[in-house]
Amino acid sequence: MSDLIYPTLDLFLYTLKSPLNATEEEIQKNKATFLAQLPPDTQFNDADIEIEYLELTYPPQIDLQPTKEILEGYYYTVRINDTYGLQIDCSFKNQLEAQSAKYFEILKAEITQKLNSPLSTIGQTWMLSGWLPGNSPRNPEDIAKDCYCALFTGSWQPNRGRFLDATVFELSQTDNFNQSIVNVNNHINHNAHHVIIAIYPNRDSAEKAAEFYSDWMGLFCYRSKITWAYWQSRLAKESLVNHFHKVDKNRQVINQKHDSQEKQNIANSQTILNNIDNILQKYTIDLLNLSFQKQTIEINLANYQIRLALIKEKAGKNNQLDFLEKFSNLAQKKYLPQITKDIENMQLGLQLLEDTINATRSRIEVEKLERDRNFQELVAVAGAGIVTVSLIKDTAKDCKDIFQQVQFFCKYPLSASLMLGIIVSFVVWWLRKRWRY
C-alpha cells in the first residue's frame, strides 16, 4: 500500500559535553565519542566559547553516504550551551512515487547503522515525515499509526496538532519515568522514545517545514535536558532516602545498647559515629544535586517556552502547536513542584538527622567522661591502698612504734599491711564519693 511520498526519518539525539563534576579527561572522551558518529574526514570546530547555538562542522550538513543508492541524507551537528546535538536525516530519493509506511524500517536501520560507537545520550527524538499523494483516500492518522507501528512498540495514544497544514502526532515514553527507560549507565535508553509524526498535504508544505529543523533541534534539546534533569532528581531522592535509612539504622544500634544498659565499647560507638558523618556528607551532596537539577529544569523550561514561541511566530497563526505546550505544563506543574517538595522534606530530614546525631554524640561523650572519671577514681583509691601498704609493711615487720602493742601486726606483717591498705582505700573511696555529691 502506497502511503507517503518522500518518507523522511530524522533522529535528534543529545549528549552532554561537560557533565556535572566531569574531569577534563572525561570531557575530552565525550567529545571523541561524539565525533566518532561523523565521517572520519569531517572538519569539526568546537570553539571554547559560551554560546547558545553553534554549528560544529563545515559545511553544516555532512553527506550521510547511505549504504543503499535509493537513500539520501545528512548529518547536522550543533552545540547548544553545554550540550552536543546531532541530527541524522535519511530519506528515499524518489520524490514522485508514494512509498509504504513500512519502508521507515529501512530508514531507521540506515540511521542506526551510522551510530558508530555507544553514545551516552540524555535524550532523543525521532521525527517521521512525508507528504500525501494527490487524492489520497487514507486518513492521515491511519497512515501515522502505521508509520509508528513499523518502528516502535507501545500503544497508539498520541497528542495531536497542526503545523504548516500538516497533521502532527506526538508520542512519548519519557514523560512518565520508570527504571526501564534508563540503561546501566543511567542514561536514557534508546528504546525509550519521543516521536513526532508529520503528515503533510503536499510537497510545498513539506519543503517549507524543512526550514524549521534548527528550531526543532533547539526545542528537543531543552526538552531532553528537562526530562534528564528530572530523572536525575529521582535518582538523587532515592539516594537521599537510602542515606537517611542508613543513618537511622546506625543511630538505633547505639540507642539500643544505651537503652539495654549494655556495656558499650567507646571505640565501636565512635566508629559508628564516623560512619554516620561520612553518610551525612553524601546526604548533603545529594541534596545540593537535587537543587541543581531543579535549577536545570527551570532554565531549560524557560528556553523551551521561548523557542516554542519563536516557532509559533515563524509558522504563523494557522497552526495548532498547543500539544507541545503539554510538556511545558508537565514540567511546570509536576516536575518542579515535586522537586521543590522533595528538597523541603530532605532538608527537614537533614536537620533531624543532625540534631539526633549531635544528641547521640553528646551522650557518648558523657559516657566517655564518666568512664574516665571512674578510671581516675580507681587509680586514686588503688594508689592510696598501695602507698599505705608500702609504708606500713616494713614498720610492721620490725614491730616498731605502735605495732609493738599489737602482736598480730608483728606476727603477720604482710597481712596486716594489706588489711590496712584495704581500709585506707575504702575510706578514700567513701570520702571522694561524699565530696562529689
Side-chain angles (χ1 to χ4, degrees), residues 76-95:
Y76 177 66
T77 61
V78 299
R79 177 165 62 84
I80 303 174
N81 297 316
D82 64 342
T83 305
Y84 288 132
L86 171 63
Q87 175 194 3
I88 304 180
D89 174 279
C90 190
S91 310
F92 280 89
K93 287 183 178 180
N94 191 331
Q95 299 187 19

Side-chain angles (χ1 to χ4, degrees), residues 25-300:
E25 181 181 356
E26 291 171 335
I27 293 174
Q28 293 303 320
K29 182 179 179 180
N30 291 340
K31 180 178 179 179
T33 305
F34 183 73
L35 277 173
Q37 312 307 315
L38 306 175
D41 57 347
T42 300
Q43 297 182 32
F44 188 84
N45 180 28
D46 182 15
D48 188 17
I49 57 175
E50 291 289 335
I51 191 169
E52 182 179 358
Y53 196 96
L54 175 68
E55 294 180 337
L56 297 176
T57 62
Y58 181 83
Q61 292 186 357
I62 306 298
D63 185 14
L64 185 64
Q65 302 175 5
T67 59
K68 296 180 175 60
E69 293 184 358
I70 59 173
L71 305 178
E72 62 183 0
Y74 61 85
Y75 300 94
Y76 177 66
T77 61
V78 299
R79 177 165 62 84
I80 303 174
N81 297 316
D82 64 342
T83 305
Y84 288 132
L86 171 63
Q87 175 194 3
I88 304 180
D89 174 279
C90 190
S91 310
F92 280 89
K93 287 183 178 180
N94 191 331
Q95 299 187 19
L96 299 176
E97 298 177 348
Q99 311 293 333
S100 170
K102 67 179 182 180
Y103 280 27
F104 275 102
E105 296 179 19
I106 299 175
L107 300 178
K108 186 178 182 181
E110 187 70 30
I111 290 176
T112 303
Q113 184 179 353
K114 294 299 181 180
L115 297 174
N116 297 320
S117 60
L119 186 65
S120 298
T121 61
I122 61 171
Q124 61 181 24
T125 294
W126 292 93
M127 178 176 281
L128 296 74
S129 62
W131 66 82
L132 297 170
N135 301 319
S136 174
R138 297 201 66 194
N139 186 317
E141 181 160 353
D142 292 337
I143 297 174
K145 184 177 180 180
D146 289 344
C147 295
Y148 176 80
C149 292
L151 301 184
F152 308 103
T153 58
S155 59
W156 175 255
Q157 296 179 335
N159 297 319
R160 298 170 177 82
R162 301 283 297 177
F163 176 68
L164 301 179
D165 297 325
T167 306
V168 182
F169 306 89
E170 180 193 38
L171 299 100
S172 176
Q173 275 191 347
T174 55
D175 292 344
N176 296 312
F177 284 86
N178 56 68
Q179 189 64 38
S180 65
I181 73 167
V182 177
N183 63 22
V184 294
N185 296 318
N186 285 334
H187 288 86
I188 300 297
N189 193 316
H190 284 207
N191 294 323
H193 52 258
H194 173 234
V195 180
I196 300 289
I197 303 174
I199 309 298
Y200 295 97
N202 51 56
R203 178 171 181 167
D204 291 341
S205 178
E207 289 180 346
K208 185 176 181 181
E211 300 173 3
F212 286 78
Y213 277 134
S214 60
D215 296 293
W216 298 131
M217 175 69 85
L219 188 75
F220 299 151
C221 176
Y222 302 133
R223 187 187 194 283
S224 294
K225 293 186 75 173
I226 291 170
T227 55
W228 170 245
Y230 183 69
W231 173 249
Q232 290 298 299
S233 77
R234 300 305 86 203
L235 294 179
K237 179 186 176 182
E238 182 180 354
S239 180
L240 285 165
V241 172
N242 290 336
H243 292 328
F244 187 94
H245 289 161
K246 289 179 181 178
V247 171
D248 192 58
K249 185 176 180 180
N250 281 278
R251 179 187 61 81
Q252 289 177 12
V253 170
I254 295 177
N255 288 344
Q256 286 173 358
K257 290 184 177 181
H258 180 268
D259 293 342
S260 63
Q261 296 183 344
E262 180 181 340
K263 185 177 180 181
Q264 290 201 45
N265 186 316
I266 296 297
N268 288 343
S269 297
Q270 191 61 50
T271 300
I272 293 176
L273 282 176
N274 291 338
N275 183 41
I276 290 175
D277 284 336
N278 292 333
I279 297 173
L280 284 178
Q281 290 179 11
K282 296 177 182 178
Y283 188 103
T284 303
I285 293 173
D286 283 339
L287 189 55
L288 291 173
N289 184 29
L290 197 59
S291 298
F292 176 80
Q293 301 307 332
K294 179 186 176 183
Q295 293 177 358
T296 299
I297 292 177
E298 290 173 339
I299 293 170
N300 286 279

